[in-house]
Amino acid sequence: MDDDVTIQDGGAGQERVSRRGFLGMAASVTAAATAAVLPEAASAAVVAVATGEGRDVLDVAIIGAGLAGLTAARDLRRAGCESFVVLEARDRVGGRTLNHDLGKGYFSEAGGQWIGPGQTAVADLARELGVGTFPTYYQGKSTILAKGARAAVDTEGGFGTDPKIAHELELLARSVPSGAPWKSPRAAEFDGMSVGDWLAKKNIEPADQVGWSAGLAITGGASPARLSLLHWLSMVNSAECNYDRLEAVKGGAQETRISGGSQILSIKMAEALGDKVRLSSPVLRIEQWQNGPVAIHTAKGVIRARHVIMALSPALCQQIAYDPPLPELRREMQRRWPAFAPGRKTAHVYKKPFWREKGLNGWIFQPGGAVLWAYDNSPEDLSFGVINAFVQISMLPSDKKAAEAQLSRTYAQAFGEEALHPLAYHEQDWRKADPWTLSCVSPMPPGFLTKYGEALHPPIGRLIWSGSETADIWAGYMDGAVRSGHKAALQALRAVATGRA
Amino acid sequence: MGKLLKRSGALLGVLLLAAGLYYGPDVYGLLRVSHEIDTVARENTQLAGPWPRATDSCLYCHDGPQGNAGTQLYARLAGQQEAYLRKQLKAFASGERNDPTMTPFALSLTDKEFEAMVTNFSRMKAQPNATFHADQVRVARGEALAKANNCASCHGQQLEGRGEYPRLAGQSYNYLVDQLTNFKTGKRRDAAGVMPAVVNALSPGDLEDLAQFLASRQ
């Protein structure tokens, strides 16, 4: 029955369109013609009519073709469920993972890209899909640039965070469950202050303050004063209360890269799902979500489904209209969700990673400058040399050519004159690229999780909440996205089974 | 030396201690970098108050720590009118000026943080929009449009802003085009109806000319 989807066009009656037609590859056909061409679909319709439900109602609709939504779809199919569709707003899959094509089959990531110890869900997915992994390069000296001064030091694959303070955070994190920090016995206390408030009591030296600000911006998406201590501890808890495992490359969440670029995971899953995945179909409105069948209004027509997996961040859930409105706590949670950490990431492509021959690892820290952190993102076989960077959006020209030139000069100061002439430059300013991301990670401000956290997980009516933000472990990471997809598929399958019983 | 190395930053802390063991030619560079990072921290404190600062979060998209933004896509806030900043943050929070980034941000601020944002940016010195490369023909057309529409009557003779009317001089070019367009489409509201009345009579090309003129003012 999934072969046909009914599109309601404005209210001017119903028109049957073949699945391929819906994808723009064939003309629409009448119900009779569909039945003649697709006898299986016709017999499915008879069954559906016999059970009293329209043949156009799917068991599950998944909104979002990122790692979460595609993992959920893959699980549904593995469980024998074929009555589903994946709706994606963009004209591509992968969500917050995106490959820049460097040519010759090589890629550099514009978005999420790493796997670390304990991130077993995404690591297993890569293995199942036959996607290889390889270590992130950190061997050699890191470069620090500050107001014209330059130094090169071996940072040993980490960011040099004060181990004494890191250990204090590790101990506190033990009482903060990663998936539900608001359930910590000390939740009120920890959510009542920012990481900055907590650090301020530790007499951090001025130069250390610069380091903490940069570190929290890269990993947490906000300055220390704006990041809830409870939230930060929940992230440390995700990393099994090991600070390096959260923050570092060596032994940390940035340790391992994905052959073919991280988006390959989503691309491979989507390929296997074929035309179950509908691109360029942003969901505008969701009706009858309490008891179903849910009517999902997209830019390309209406999809009807008994259950919906919302595989997107709460901030993106907020961009959809609901009729009737969602319950107050969920609505307020979505409205206030801290989607204010947009990312801008760049890639300089060179003929080879020439910095390695100089004993440098390609890393740059630039306190007071545009580069938060630059790092070596060369392909495994070194067919190119690639320097990726997280940059301060404001401090780099928005003009691509000018941005490339400014960064090239910075890289030349760090690595030598060869850096002035990249073969190519790529960048992604995620807030401006399209309206379907909004934010990289979600920098929870103090007070948010204890007030609204309870609304994050529980399904409401026929809506099952997924997406990395809902993960029990590694929320906000690729691993969390995969975990949330598995969980949502189980919830949906159970709901489908209960409905049939 | 030990003291300097110890002072040299979370970013550098462990690594400098380790690097100190080498005593190589890098040591001079380390000392200089360490000194300059201290300077950065001191300057940030002078500009925006003691660390940790809530306003540091804004600098990622707006202005940068020294008010020397390079982007044309995001608003420049340095030297913006205090009353305007307060009004807009309130409008973001209430949803009157709904924005998926700024609305949750404004809603997340404590009263103290809210005032810190307003004070900090209104006190920062406005810098010329140095990365905007104006087209002089379009600037001239924009100047004529600004005169014909009497922009200065609300926004000040130098377009420096006044009270709830924003500073426009040296604003980011693409941001200006976006906002003028939003007034035209109704996405951005103006209760007094002045801005829609102005932009409704202007073509998209006119709006760009106007933005060229405004972005290139100092």
Side-chain angles (χ1 to χ4, degrees):
Chain A
M1 71 205 276
D2 63 298
D3 278 321
D4 278 10
V5 171
T6 297
I7 298 181
Q8 287 170 330
D9 190 12
Q14 294 194 344
E15 182 187 13
R16 288 212 182 278
V17 176
S18 80
R19 181 169 63 172
R20 283 161 300 160
F22 190 75
L23 288 166
M25 292 160 67
S28 61
V29 288
T30 64
T34 306
V37 174
L38 298 166
E40 279 177 44
S43 60
V46 172
V47 173
V49 168
T51 56
E53 278 202 310
R55 56 175 294 195
D56 59 314
V57 180
L58 297 164
D59 278 342
V60 185
I62 299 168
I63 304 178
L67 278 168
L70 293 169
T71 297
R74 185 168 176 267
D75 286 2
L76 290 183
R77 175 168 273 181
R78 286 175 133 189
C81 171
E82 283 293 326
S83 177
F84 69 90
V85 67
V86 185
L87 301 170
E88 168 57 43
R90 298 182 178 88
D91 60 0
R92 62 165 181 86
V93 298
R96 282 171 274 182
T97 62
L98 173 65
N99 286 349
H100 290 305
D101 190 347
L102 308 184
K104 299 181 191 170
Y106 294 96
F107 302 92
S108 184
E109 290 95 339
Q113 67 170 95
W114 290 290
I115 301 180
Q119 299 189 357
T120 51
V122 66
D124 286 350
L125 176 67
R127 288 182 66 190
E128 287 170 19
L129 295 172
V131 171
T133 59
F134 63 104
T136 307
Y137 192 75
Y138 65 83
Q139 292 82 355
K141 290 184 176 181
S142 303
T143 315
I144 303 154
L145 304 175
K147 288 182 175 263
R150 174 191 183 275
V153 287
D154 189 348
T155 62
E156 297 179 352
F159 295 151
T161 301
D162 184 335
K164 197 166 145 280
I165 293 179
H167 187 60
E168 284 185 55
L169 289 167
E170 289 169 350
L171 294 178
L172 294 178
R174 289 182 188 174
S175 74
V176 182
S178 55
W182 52 90
K183 288 183 179 162
S184 164
R186 297 176 70 180
E189 177 193 353
F190 293 151
D191 206 28
M193 69 176 96
S194 68
V195 183
D197 293 334
W198 185 82
L199 285 171
K201 293 181 216 149
K202 307 286 166 193
N203 294 318
I204 308 288
E205 298 281 345
D208 284 345
Q209 298 167 358
V210 175
W212 277 103
S213 290
L216 289 177
I218 294 167
T219 309
S223 61
R226 293 280 303 148
L227 211 55
S228 156
L229 179 64
L230 182 71
H231 169 60
W232 191 242
L233 293 174
S234 78
M235 288 182 69
V236 178
N237 185 282
S238 261
E240 295 171 84
C241 301
N242 177 329
Y243 206 84
D244 274 349
R245 193 162 296 177
L246 176 71
E247 193 186 56
V249 170
K250 183 184 179 186
Q254 285 68 235
E255 186 172 62
T256 300
R257 292 178 52 201
I258 294 171
S259 304
S262 54
Q263 194 191 2
I264 192 74
L265 299 176
S266 294
I267 292 171
K268 285 214 165 201
M269 285 193 284
E271 275 171 5
L273 290 163
D275 48 16
K276 295 278 191 205
V277 181
R278 311 273 167 83
L279 300 178
S280 305
S281 303
V283 172
L284 310 171
R285 186 179 180 81
I286 294 179
E287 293 169 357
Q288 300 155 43
W289 52 262
Q290 318 99 299
N291 301 309
V294 186
I296 303 162
H297 295 251
T298 79
K300 289 188 173 176
V302 180
I303 304 286
R304 287 151 57 81
R306 292 178 190 87
H307 305 278
V308 185
I309 294 176
M310 305 287 289
L312 61 181
S313 81
L316 290 171
C317 291
Q318 174 67 8
Q319 303 303 307
I320 298 169
Y322 300 86
D323 184 14
L326 294 174
E328 192 185 351
L329 192 67
R330 173 78 207 183
R331 203 169 68 224
E332 277 301 296
M333 188 273 285
Q334 288 182 180
R335 189 165 79 96
R336 293 166 182 270
W337 187 267
F340 36 74
R344 185 174 173 192
K345 218 172 154 189
T346 66
H348 273 59
V349 185
Y350 296 98
K351 209 173 160 192
K352 57 179 184 172
F354 61 89
W355 49 89
R356 293 193 188 185
E357 292 155 19
K358 301 179 179 190
L360 301 171
N361 63 3
W363 291 19
I364 300 173
F365 302 107
Q366 193 186 25
V371 175
L372 282 170
W373 180 42
Y375 58 94
D376 185 329
N377 207 47
S378 306
E380 188 176 13
D381 67 3
L382 307 185
S383 298
F384 295 106
V386 179
I387 297 292
N388 265 24
F390 291 93
V391 297
Q392 288 254 12
I393 293 177
S394 58
M395 295 180 73
L396 203 61
S398 34
D399 177 69
K400 243 183 103 176
K401 280 269 163 229
E404 174 189 342
Q406 181 179 320
L407 286 174
S408 296
R409 289 193 293 275
T410 303
Y411 297 171
Q413 196 194 346
F415 311 138
E417 295 288 302
E418 304 96 308
L420 287 173
H421 306 290
L423 299 174
Y425 171 73
H426 303 273
E427 70 156 67
Q428 174 92 344
D429 181 345
W430 285 85
R431 180 64 183 86
K432 297 293 180 182
D434 64 49
W436 312 118
T437 304
L438 300 179
S439 196
C440 170
V441 291
S442 303
M444 300 294 172
F448 183 92
L449 287 169
T450 43
K451 198 157 183 191
Y452 302 105
E454 292 283 1
L456 185 56
H457 297 148
I460 296 176
R462 299 301 180 96
L463 306 178
I464 295 162
W465 309 105
S466 184
S468 183
E469 285 69 23
T470 67
D472 292 327
I473 302 175
W474 292 109
Y477 284 71
M478 295 196 299
D479 187 68
V482 175
R483 288 175 193 274
S484 80
H486 289 316
K487 186 165 112 183
L490 289 175
Q491 289 173 298
L493 288 167
R494 182 192 155 93
V496 169
T498 307
R500 283 201 178 131
Chain B
M1 155 130 185
K3 199 177 170 195
L4 252 182
L5 287 178
K6 252 179 103 177
R7 281 178 46 207
S8 44
L11 197 61
L12 310 172
V14 174
L15 33 130
L16 278 190
L17 288 172
L21 300 174
Y22 297 114
Y23 290 102
D26 279 341
V27 171
Y28 175 67
L30 279 175
L31 293 177
R32 273 194 65 207
V33 157
S34 160
H35 174 74
E36 294 301 347
I37 293 175
D38 276 346
T39 308
V40 169
R42 197 172 55 244
E43 285 176 356
N44 289 348
T45 302
Q46 281 165 359
L47 279 166
W51 185 89
R53 294 169 291 267
T55 51
D56 281 358
S57 277
C58 312
L59 304 175
Y60 186 62
C61 297
H62 303 286
D63 298 274
Q66 316 280 330
N68 50 353
T71 179
Q72 301 298 330
L73 292 168
Y74 299 80
R76 283 167 156 74
L77 303 178
Q80 190 50 278
Q81 294 294 326
E82 190 177 323
Y84 173 76
L85 289 169
R86 189 172 286 117
K87 187 182 172 190
Q88 294 310 309
L89 265 182
K90 278 188 183 154
F92 282 129
S94 72
E96 184 196 332
R97 186 178 174 186
N98 195 35
D99 179 272
T101 304
M102 286 307 297
T103 292
F105 184 81
L107 283 168
S108 75
L109 298 175
T110 63
D111 291 348
K112 199 177 151 202
E113 286 172 335
F114 188 103
E115 281 306 312
M117 306 285 166
V118 170
T119 316
N120 180 65
F121 285 105
S122 60
R123 283 187 190 162
M124 262 172 99
K125 192 175 171 333
Q127 306 282 346
N129 186 347
T131 54
F132 178 64
H133 304 295
D135 172 337
Q136 290 311 321
V137 176
R138 303 199 78 173
V139 168
R141 282 206 295 259
E143 183 168 15
L145 286 169
K147 276 201 180 122
N149 287 285
N150 210 7
C151 298
S153 68
C154 292
H155 294 277
Q157 282 310 309
Q158 306 301 316
L159 301 166
E160 73 280 16
R162 200 164 58 201
E164 291 190 348
Y165 300 100
R167 175 189 185 85
L168 302 176
Q171 187 51 271
S172 300
Y173 170 75
N174 298 92
Y175 172 77
L176 283 167
V177 174
D178 286 349
Q179 297 310 310
L180 290 169
T181 306
N182 288 345
F183 279 123
K184 200 173 160 82
T185 60
K187 190 181 168 200
R188 183 165 174 185
R189 278 164 280 184
D190 170 13
V194 178
M195 283 308 297
V198 170
V199 295
N200 279 344
L202 302 178
S203 71
D206 290 340
L207 298 184
E208 288 174 15
D209 292 344
L210 196 52
Q212 285 262 346
F213 170 66
L214 300 172
S216 58
R217 292 304 92 189
Q218 292 201 7

